[in-house]
Amino acid sequence: MEILSYITSLFWEKKCYGCGQLWHFFCPNCSQNMYIYRPYCYVCKKPSDNFTTHEKCKLELGLKQIIVLTRYRQNGVKKVLRHAKYYWKYTAYEGVVLQHKTFFQEYVSFKNSVLMPIPMHLLRKWKRGYNQSEKIAQLLSSILDIPVNNKTIYKKKYTKNQSHLSLSQRKNNLQSSFWVRKNTINRNTTVYLIDDVISTGSTILEAAKELQKKWFQDVRAIVLASD
C-alpha cells in the first residue's frame, strides 16, 4: 500500500475540481450541472430503452445493459475520477454517485441483482491501497439497496494499465486475466459489473465473458463515465 500517499491525503484541502469551491472535491452545483446521458446502446450509440444493448449489438459486446451516467471529458469530471482512482480522494465519488441517486434508481433492475466491482490484481490493490470499483459499488449499494459481491470474480493476472494501450493491445492484455469461482451465487442472478470509466469496453467484456462461461445469463454493467 502506498502509505505515504495515504498520509498525505489526510492533509489535502477539499476543493471542487469544477469550480474551486472549498469543502468539496465535486460540489453539488457542479454535479447537478454536469452532462447526463439519455438512454442509449453503448455499442452503436443509438437510443435504446433503459440503456439496453440492441439485439444485434449484443454479438459485439455481449452485455444486456450498460448504464453510463456522464461524459468523461468535461469540466471537472475527468479530474474527479482520476484523483479518486489514484490519489486517495475516493470520497469524491460521493459527489458523482449520491447526487444522482434517482438516475441509477430509474435504470437499474432491483430484482435478484448483485453489484460486482471489476476486481484488481492483489498486488496492484496492495500498491494502490484500494479498488476504486469497490468504492463505487459500496455507494451504489447504499442508494439501491442491492448487495455487493466481491467474492465471485478475481483478477488472476497482473496486467498493464489499459489507458496506455491500443485497442488490440488492450484485448491481448486482458485475455484470460479473470477467474470466476463456482457456486458463490445463483446463476440466475442479474450481475451488474461496476467500474469508473468505460472506453473500448475491453475490461468489462473480458469479465463478462468469464461470468458467461460459468452460465451466468444476465450480465450488465454500470459505469460512471464514458471516455
Side-chain angles (χ1 to χ4, degrees), residues 54-216:
H54 297 134
E55 286 300 321
K56 63 178 181 180
C57 296
K58 287 179 186 175
L59 299 174
E60 184 174 338
L61 205 55
L63 284 81
K64 289 188 176 182
Q65 182 189 37
I66 302 176
I67 300 171
V68 186
L69 174 65
T70 189
R71 290 174 179 158
Y72 181 63
R73 300 184 184 280
Q74 62 175 304
N75 184 38
V77 172
K78 182 177 179 179
K79 282 187 176 181
V80 165
L81 298 186
R82 180 169 177 80
H83 282 240
K85 183 173 185 174
Y86 295 112
Y87 302 115
W88 288 88
K89 298 184 180 181
Y90 49 77
T91 56
Y93 290 132
E94 296 177 6
V96 180
V97 176
L98 302 185
Q99 291 290 331
H100 297 283
K101 174 181 178 178
T102 56
F103 171 89
F104 296 108
Q105 290 176 333
E106 181 175 359
Y107 299 116
V108 172
S109 173
F110 294 89
K111 187 177 179 180
N112 193 30
S113 298
V114 297
L115 306 176
M116 199 172 289
I118 293 290
M120 294 175 67
H121 188 273
L122 287 176
L123 178 57
R124 190 180 297 278
K125 185 176 180 179
W126 178 79
K127 289 171 67 177
R128 186 175 298 173
Y130 59 97
N131 178 354
Q132 75 281 353
S133 297
E134 290 180 357
K135 298 296 184 182
I136 296 168
Q138 289 163 5
L139 288 172
L140 287 170
S141 179
S142 72
I143 62 175
L144 299 173
D145 197 26
I146 297 175
V148 176
N149 177 296
N150 56 9
K151 299 183 182 299
T152 295
I153 188 166
Y154 293 85
K155 188 76 174 292
K156 66 179 182 179
K157 186 172 76 172
Y158 190 89
T159 55
K160 297 178 181 178
N161 193 316
Q162 289 284 96
S163 62
H164 303 307
L165 303 176
S166 66
L167 176 57
S168 60
Q169 288 174 326
R170 290 184 184 199
K171 291 179 179 179
N172 293 331
N173 184 48
L174 288 169
Q175 191 171 12
S176 302
S177 61
F178 294 105
W179 172 71
V180 175
R181 178 182 289 176
K182 296 180 180 179
N183 303 322
T184 54
I185 56 174
N186 190 296
R187 290 173 180 171
N188 293 320
T189 302
T190 297
V191 174
Y192 279 100
L193 293 169
I194 309 299
D195 211 354
D196 56 344
V197 179
I198 185 170
S199 181
T200 63
S202 300
T203 302
I204 285 175
L205 175 58
E206 191 64 28
K209 282 181 178 178
E210 292 304 312
L211 288 166
Q212 289 160 352
K213 286 179 183 178
K214 298 298 186 293
W215 304 105
F216 286 95

Side-chain angles (χ1 to χ4, degrees), residues 13-30:
E13 182 178 54
K14 282 189 176 182
K15 190 174 182 181
C16 178
Y17 288 109
C19 65
Q21 179 183 329
L22 294 178
W23 315 118
H24 301 278
F25 286 132
F26 202 48
C27 74
N29 185 57
C30 288

